Amino acid sequence: MAEIKIGSYLVERIKELGIETIFGVPGDYELVLLDMVQEAGTKWAGNPNELIASYAADGYARVNGYGAFVTTFGPGELSAYCGMGGQYAEYVPVVHIVGYPSTKAMKERAIMHHSLGNGNFKMYHEMVQALTVASTVLDDPSTAPSEIDRVLNAMVYFNRPVYIGVPVDIGPKIVHTRNLETKLQKAIPPNPPELEKSVTDKIIDLLLSRKDPIILVDGGAVRNGVIQECSELIKLLQIPYFVTPMCKGGISEALGSFGGVYAGVSSTDDVRSYVEKSDLVLFIGSYKSDFNTGEFTAKISPSVTVDFQRFTVNLLGAEYKLNMKYVLHRLNSTLKSSKKLPVKSKVEWDPYPLDQLKAPEKLTQDFLWATLGRYFRSGDYIIAETGTSAYGIVASNLMNVDNVHMYSQTVYGSIGFATGAALGSFVAGKEKNTMKRGILVTGEGSLQLTVQAFSDLLRHGLNTTMFLLNNEGYTSERLIHGSEATYNKIPTWDYSKICELFGPSFQKKYYRIEKPEQLLKLLKDTEFNAAHCTQVVELILDKHDAPMSVKRSAKAVEEFNKE
């Protein structure tokens, strides 16, 4: 009879999902389990703290498809829950593995370290259930394999995080390997064929009868893995297509009919006007959060919208239980064989008018973002921090490059996320050999939350280029309220010493940029573009400076908060 340790069984299932690297922080309740991680040939990437580990697993999953990290019971897992909140909100499938005290200690309600001292060992598991689609604590060896499979299958099906607790005495227990003969369920069951055909035919009828249809691709398209289907649809129809901030960098802008970034009042006037006058919007993966819609100022009527979601398609207000991936696949297939297609439309406005800005006397954000667009190239992994960076990066022109991987945490908006997530994404990109350059764009306030991740960025040889926005030590919240308030002021750091502190033996470079001409010169420098080592570029900006999109949104935020 073939046998395996429960901990090894869990690692084998994680490997089946294509996860090669597991992040985390070692703790005494999980050390035996970590031995099994390494025995299985999986890479262990220990992190400075659990918050960074959860962010790194998030970033890894956004590139690899799935991610995993390990913490210890109590303080370790609580430190990671902020990262799990972002994974849940933004549909990122990550398994959080937690090393628990022994089943004997829990049964006897012993007062163990990392507990609350009251004999209750269920409280942390109860807390995390709001942040996961499935969870378990493996307290019975006979059911452990099926419980592991149940939880991981839920992660795959719903595309959201899960939680598995492994007591220190359960991990080494021996079980049969028979369950491993059945693979995890990676595919969502097919749609009912007749219903799928009926809805697809209705969509095609709408495309043929409406005058100015458009395609709007949102973050749900990225998170639910339909970018290939979206790209094919755009090429077939050749009508204007747009992205939201959450989808920026998620789909190529070089498909021939790109119209720009739409987010209500945050959009340029031309983009906003064209999207909101359209009589048919194929809205793929819509996620109508505040930051993603210009504080709910997006105006697209349900009466002109076909809204594609993971488990539903809403056709002009009528909802059908259909998975959008299969519907899009059928739609493309039908259009290919059809003799009738909608009339092609041309984009007659400039999706990036800021590209025409002349260099100002002092460095500004609008000039910065337009200029960075010319620096980005195929194969770049670009991770932008929430807040100012997330707003600004949407103004970077990607129409002349392809195969760029870019994202920010648009919905959850946890500052400090980007530095940890960049670590995970760059590790995954390096494993897949798809990353040419790893680029992190963040502000000094956000960096201060997770700056310890720099030790990992250096030691893993990821050659990160970080563009660090420094608004004279003020947070981005100053743009909403309290522009001069002390609560919006952060400590002053010497950012030229970051790499020296966190990795003194590694090659690194530092640049301080205060004027546009300095930035232009640096971005043309051959050695800088090659990114053969870690590079920190500190960008000195006026404390009142902000991207145009932020200025447009600030009033809407203030008005919304008054209601």
Side-chain angles (χ1 to χ4, degrees):
M1 180 178 74
E3 297 177 329
I4 191 171
K5 295 175 183 177
I6 290 174
S8 298
Y9 182 98
L10 174 57
V11 177
E12 287 302 316
R13 283 305 201 195
I14 288 171
K15 288 172 62 180
E16 184 184 326
L17 292 170
I19 299 171
E20 297 182 26
T21 298
I22 297 176
F23 300 90
V25 177
D28 56 345
Y29 292 139
E30 71 195 70
L31 295 178
V32 173
L33 182 62
L34 296 188
D35 287 338
M36 299 177 207
V37 167
Q38 295 185 318
E39 288 168 5
T42 310
K43 300 171 190 172
W44 167 253
N47 305 108
N49 61 53
E50 293 84 359
L51 178 61
I52 289 173
S54 62
Y55 286 159
D58 181 310
Y60 185 92
R62 289 176 188 251
V63 173
N64 182 67
Y66 304 97
F69 71 106
V70 183
T71 70
T72 199
F73 171 83
E77 59 180 305
L78 285 176
S79 297
Y81 283 1
C82 181
M84 294 184 71
Q87 294 158 16
Y88 186 89
E90 304 211 349
Y91 293 88
V92 184
V94 171
V95 53
H96 180 186
I97 302 164
V98 179
Y100 263 67
S102 70
T103 53
K104 180 176 184 291
M106 291 191 286
K107 184 177 181 180
E108 296 178 353
R109 297 177 62 84
I111 299 177
M112 301 293 294
H113 64 283
H114 296 341
S115 74
L116 297 181
N118 58 4
N120 181 5
F121 292 90
K122 297 180 180 180
M123 61 285 183
Y124 303 132
H125 183 201
E126 291 171 352
M127 289 179 191
V128 82
Q129 289 178 35
L131 305 176
T132 58
V133 291
S135 63
T136 189
V137 176
L138 306 175
D139 55 6
D140 182 351
S142 67
T143 61
S146 59
E147 275 293 280
I148 290 170
D149 291 354
R150 176 185 68 82
V151 170
L152 292 181
N153 276 322
M155 177 181 75
V156 172
Y157 184 79
F158 292 104
N159 216 52
R160 275 178 156 165
V162 295
Y163 173 104
I164 298 177
V166 186
V168 67
D169 60 323
I170 290 291
K173 296 287 187 184
I174 301 296
V175 293
H176 199 282
T177 60
R178 67 173 66 88
N179 282 36
L180 289 175
E181 296 172 6
T182 303
K183 299 300 181 182
L184 295 172
Q185 301 298 315
K186 292 186 182 180
I188 295 174
N191 293 324
E194 290 303 316
L195 180 59
E196 181 180 277
K197 181 180 184 304
S198 173
V199 170
T200 302
D201 289 344
K202 289 177 182 178
I203 294 171
I204 292 174
D205 288 343
L206 286 168
L207 282 167
L208 294 173
S209 62
R210 300 296 171 98
K211 293 181 179 179
D212 54 356
I214 67 167
I215 298 171
L216 180 56
V217 190
D218 206 340
V222 181
R223 301 303 327 129
N224 289 293
V226 295
I227 291 301
Q228 182 176 341
E229 289 80 4
C230 291
S231 301
E232 187 175 352
L233 181 63
I234 291 165
K235 291 175 185 177
L236 280 167
L237 295 178
Q238 295 186 43
I239 59 177
Y241 72 101
F242 302 80
V243 298
T244 65
M246 191 176 178
C247 189
K248 177 67 180 183
I251 189 169
S252 173
E253 297 179 7
L255 301 178
S257 56
F258 182 68
V261 182
Y262 176 71
V265 298
S266 299
S267 322
T268 63
D269 293 339
D270 286 337
V271 168
R272 188 181 184 192
S273 173
Y274 197 90
V275 170
E276 294 179 359
K277 77 176 180 62
S278 172
D279 59 0
L280 180 65
V281 179
L282 301 188
F283 206 162
I284 305 175
S286 70
Y287 203 142
K288 299 170 185 176
S289 70
D290 51 357
F291 286 1
N292 205 34
T293 61
E295 201 66 19
F296 307 113
T297 58
K299 294 180 180 179
I300 303 174
S301 172
S303 65
V304 301
T305 303
V306 181
D307 190 347
F308 298 81
Q309 296 293 338
R310 187 173 181 84
F311 297 116
T312 62
V313 173
N314 192 300
L315 186 67
L316 310 187
E319 185 173 280
Y320 300 90
K321 294 187 181 303
L322 295 167
N323 174 263
M324 67 174 167
K325 190 175 186 71
Y326 299 123
V327 173
L328 287 168
H329 181 78
R330 180 183 282 268
L331 181 59
N332 288 333
S333 179
T334 306
L335 286 169
K336 281 181 183 178
S337 60
S338 175
K339 295 180 180 179
K340 291 183 178 181
L341 288 174
V343 177
K344 300 174 185 177
S345 304
K346 291 184 179 180
V347 175
E348 297 178 347
W349 61 92
D350 186 353
Y352 294 108
L354 290 179
D355 286 7
Q356 312 306 319
L357 281 179
K358 293 183 179 179
E361 290 185 10
K362 293 179 63 177
L363 187 64
T364 65
Q365 293 220 28
D366 284 337
F367 179 79
L368 165 67
W369 300 115
T371 303
L372 281 182
R374 298 192 288 272
Y375 162 74
F376 298 144
R377 65 191 190 204
S378 180
D380 282 349
Y381 276 47
I382 307 158
I383 318 303
E385 184 56 86
T386 188
T388 305
S389 297
Y391 272 99
I393 201 76
V394 302
S396 296
N397 188 343
L398 303 179
M399 295 177 67
N400 298 314
V401 294
D402 208 353
N403 194 28
V404 167
H405 188 99
M406 177 189 290
Y407 69 84
S408 64
Q409 198 186 56
T410 311
V411 180
Y412 196 64
S414 177
I415 60 173
F417 163 81
T419 308
L423 164 64
S425 286
F426 297 167
V427 167
K430 191 175 180 180
E431 285 178 356
K432 289 178 170 293
N433 197 30
T434 55
M435 182 181 73
K436 301 299 183 184
R437 300 185 301 187
I439 299 167
L440 167 64
V441 185
T442 187
E444 81 276 30
S446 296
L447 179 67
Q448 290 188 14
L449 270 79
T450 48
V451 68
Q452 304 99 312
F454 245 80
S455 59
D456 289 337
L457 290 166
L458 285 158
R459 72 185 177 120
H460 290 300
L462 299 172
N463 294 345
T464 303
T465 296
M466 179 176 74
F467 291 96
L468 178 66
L469 280 64
N470 188 339
N471 286 96
E472 300 181 20
Y474 278 85
T475 70
S476 59
E477 275 71 18
R478 78 198 181 284
L479 302 169
I480 299 173
H481 183 80
S483 61
E484 303 290 339
T486 55
Y487 52 72
N488 277 327
K489 189 76 172 71
I490 59 175
T492 299
W493 285 12
D494 184 348
Y495 297 102
S496 68
K497 301 295 194 300
I498 285 179
C499 293
E500 188 65 33
L501 174 64
F502 289 106
S505 63
F506 295 96
Q507 186 181 358
K508 58 272 182 183
K509 293 182 179 179
Y510 167 81
Y511 305 90
R512 181 182 172 92
I513 303 296
E514 300 182 42
K515 296 184 178 297
E517 54 267 28
Q518 292 176 306
L519 178 64
L520 292 170
K521 182 179 179 181
L522 177 65
L523 298 185
K524 291 178 181 177
D525 183 85
T526 303
E527 188 174 349
F528 176 77
N529 274 269
H532 290 313
C533 67
T534 299
Q535 304 177 122
V536 175
V537 182
E538 186 175 2
L539 302 159
I540 308 302
L541 300 154
D542 185 85
K543 64 182 176 183
H544 295 297
D545 184 50
M548 184 62 69
S549 56
V550 171
K551 294 174 183 176
R552 288 192 178 106
S553 297
K555 290 183 179 179
V557 171
E558 191 172 355
E559 288 301 315
F560 184 83
N561 289 338
K562 287 179 181 178
E563 297 179 5

